C-alpha cells in the first residue's frame, strides 16, 4: 500500500460498498417497508436471494490480497535468507483484506447455503473485520513523519466508528441511525484513503507537503471534517436519486404482497374470531 494505487484500491472498495449500502437502505425502507413486504415476482424474489453484497466484499478482498502481494512484483516471502522479516507492510495489508473477505464469505453463506446459522453472525464478523483493520493501521505509522501519522490517525478514527456502529447492529439490527452511521463512515474511509494517497504520492501542484510542518498537520484535521460533511451530501444525493428512481418506476414495476407475520398474526386472527363468536352468543342470549 506504499503507493497511490495501494491507497486508491481500498478507497474505491469502501466507496462502492457504501454506495451499495445506501441504495439497499432506500430500497428496503421504501419498497419492502422495512422488511414487512416481500416481492411477489419470481424474478425479484430470486434476486433477493442472490448474495450480491457478500460476493462484492469477497471479490474486493481477494483482488486486494492478490494486488498487494503481486504488484509491482511478487512479495510472498515472509522471512529473508538472513532470518529478518520481509514485506511486513504488505503482510499487514493482506491480513486486512483477508478479514474482509471472510466477512463477505459469511454474508454469502448467510444468504444461501446456511442462512439460519451464518446469517446471525454477519454483523459480528463485520465488526471483527473493522476491528482488525483499525488495530493494524493504529500500529502502521511507527517511525513515520508527523503528517503521515496524522493522516493515518484520522483514518483510524473513521475505522473505529465503523467498528462501533457495526458492533451496535449485532444487538440493534433494525436501528436506522446506527446503520446510517456505519454507511457514512465507510464512505469516509473510502474518500480518506484517496486523500491520503493524493497527499503522500501525487500532491496537487506537484510540490510535496512538508511532513513536519505543524500547519499541514492541523489542516489535515480540518479536511477530515470536510470529508464527513461532503460524504453526507453524497449520501443524501444517492438517497434522493434512488428514491426518485423507485417512485418513477412504480417501485421497480413489481407488485408486492404483505409478508405473513407468523404465529403472532395467527394468534391475533384467532383472538378476533373468538371475540366475534362471543359477541354472537351474547347477542343471541339477549334476543331470547
Amino acid at each position: 500500500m506504499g503507493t497511490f494505487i495501494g491507497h486508491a484500491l481500498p478507497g474505491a472498495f469502501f466507496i462502492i460498498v457504501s454506495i451499495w449500502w445506501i441504495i439497499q437502505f432506500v430500497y428496503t425502507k421504501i419498497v419492502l417497508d422495512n422488511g414487512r413486504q416481500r416481492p411477489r415476482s419470481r424474478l425479484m424474489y430470486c434476486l433477493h436471494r442472490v448474495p450480491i453484497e457478500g460476493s462484492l466484499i469477497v471479490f474486493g478482498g481477494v483482488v486486494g490480497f492478490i494486488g498487494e502481494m503481486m504488484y509491482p512484483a511478487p512479495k510472498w516471502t515472509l522471512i529473508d535468507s538472513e532470518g529478518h522479516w520481509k514485506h511486513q507492510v504488505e503482510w499487514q495489508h493482506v491480513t486486512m483484506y483477508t478479514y474482509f473477505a471472510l466477512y463477505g464469505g459469511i454474508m454469502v453463506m448467510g444468504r444461501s447455503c446456511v442462512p439460519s446459522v451464518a446469517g446471525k453472525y454477519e454483523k459480528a464478523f463485520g465488526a471483527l473485520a473493522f476491528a482488525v483493520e483499525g488495530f493494524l493501521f493504529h500500529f502502521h505509522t511507527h517511525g513515520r513523519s508527523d503528517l503521515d501519522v496524522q493522516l493515518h490517525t484520522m483514518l483510524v478514527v473513521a475505522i473505529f466508528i465503523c467498528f462501533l456502529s457495526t458492533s451496535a447492529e449485532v444487538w440493534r439490527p433494525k436501528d436506522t441511525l446506527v446503520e446510517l452511521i456505519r454507511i457514512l463512515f465507510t464512505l469516509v474511509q473510502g474518500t480518506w484513503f484517496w486523500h491520503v494517497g493524493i497527499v503522500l504520492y501525487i500532491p496537487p501542484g506537484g510540490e510535496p507537503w512538508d511532513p513536519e510542518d505543524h500547519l499541514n498537520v492541523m489542516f489535515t484535521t480540518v479536511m477530515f471534517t470536510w470529508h464527513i460533511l461532503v460524504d453526507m451530501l453524497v449520501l443524501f444525493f444517492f438517497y434522493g436519486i434512488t428514491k426518485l428512481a423507485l417512485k418513477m418506476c412504480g417501485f421497480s414495476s413489481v407488485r408486492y404482497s404483505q409478508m405473513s407475520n407468523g404465529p403472532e398474526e395467527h394468534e391475533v386472527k384467532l383472538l378476533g374470531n373468538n371475540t366475534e363468536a362471543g359477541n354472537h352468543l351474547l347477542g343471541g342470549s339477549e334476543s331470547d
Side-chain angles (χ1 to χ4, degrees):
M1 198 177 286
T3 62
F4 172 75
I5 297 298
H7 289 80
L9 180 62
F13 167 74
F14 286 116
I15 290 172
I16 293 172
V17 169
S18 60
I19 292 175
W20 168 263
W21 278 343
I22 194 64
I23 293 174
Q24 186 183 56
F25 174 84
V26 179
Y27 180 81
T28 302
K29 296 296 181 183
I30 295 179
V31 178
L32 301 184
D33 191 20
N34 289 321
R36 289 188 289 268
Q37 303 286 335
R38 65 182 176 188
R40 182 178 297 175
S41 165
R42 179 172 298 181
L43 174 60
M44 292 300 297
Y45 179 76
C46 292
L47 288 176
H48 274 264
R49 295 182 62 86
V50 174
I52 299 176
E53 181 180 342
S55 300
L56 175 64
I57 295 176
V58 170
F59 177 77
V62 171
V63 169
F65 187 105
I66 296 175
E68 192 70 41
M69 299 306 291
M70 295 298 295
Y71 179 84
K75 312 178 190 68
W76 297 102
T77 304
L78 183 59
I79 301 176
D80 60 18
S81 57
E82 299 180 357
H84 300 147
W85 295 110
K86 193 174 183 181
H87 306 306
Q88 59 273 17
V89 174
E90 286 77 9
W91 281 103
Q92 277 190 320
H93 299 160
V94 299
T95 300
M96 175 190 74
Y97 288 124
T98 299
Y99 272 88
F100 275 102
L102 177 62
Y103 169 42
I106 295 296
M107 297 185 70
V108 170
M109 290 190 293
R111 298 291 193 277
S112 55
C113 51
V114 284
S116 60
V117 178
K120 59 184 177 181
Y121 295 112
E122 290 178 6
K123 296 303 181 183
F125 274 88
L128 176 62
F130 282 122
V132 170
E133 181 193 9
F135 180 75
L136 292 172
F137 274 106
H138 177 70
F139 296 99
H140 185 70
T141 55
H142 179 71
R144 299 194 182 187
S145 65
D146 292 343
L147 178 61
D148 199 338
V149 171
Q150 185 70 2
L151 287 167
H152 286 85
T153 299
M154 296 297 98
L155 180 61
V156 171
V157 170
I159 296 170
F160 183 68
I161 297 176
C162 288
F163 162 70
L164 288 180
S165 56
T166 309
S167 299
E169 286 185 285
V170 175
W171 291 276
R172 303 177 64 89
K174 296 183 180 180
D175 193 315
T176 299
L177 179 60
V178 173
E179 183 178 1
L180 288 174
I181 291 174
R182 187 230 322 150
I183 296 172
L184 171 62
F185 280 91
T186 301
L187 181 59
V188 170
Q189 270 199 74
T191 57
W192 193 252
F193 263 116
W194 277 78
H195 182 96
V196 174
I198 291 173
V199 169
L200 294 181
Y201 300 101
I202 50 172
E207 291 294 330
W209 290 26
D210 185 353
E212 304 299 336
D213 189 343
H214 183 65
L215 294 179
N216 289 337
V217 175
M218 290 180 60
F219 198 66
T220 295
T221 308
V222 175
M223 287 188 289
F224 180 76
T225 63
W226 291 354
H227 272 259
I228 297 175
L229 178 60
V230 172
D231 289 341
M232 288 175 62
L233 297 177
V234 170
L235 291 182
F236 278 129
F237 171 78
F238 278 99
Y239 181 96
I241 291 296
T242 305
K243 184 176 181 179
L244 180 63
L246 289 173
K247 287 189 173 182
M248 290 179 63
C249 295
F251 293 164
S252 303
S253 302
V254 177
R255 293 181 303 168
Y256 290 88
S257 59
Q258 188 168 2
M259 295 181 66
S260 172
N261 293 327
E264 294 81 1
E265 180 180 333
H266 177 71
E267 291 175 3
V268 171
K269 289 183 178 179
L270 183 60
L271 179 59
N273 292 336
N274 291 339
T275 304
E276 292 177 1
N279 291 337
H280 177 71
L281 291 174
L282 289 174
S285 62
E286 290 176 355
S287 62
D288 291 342

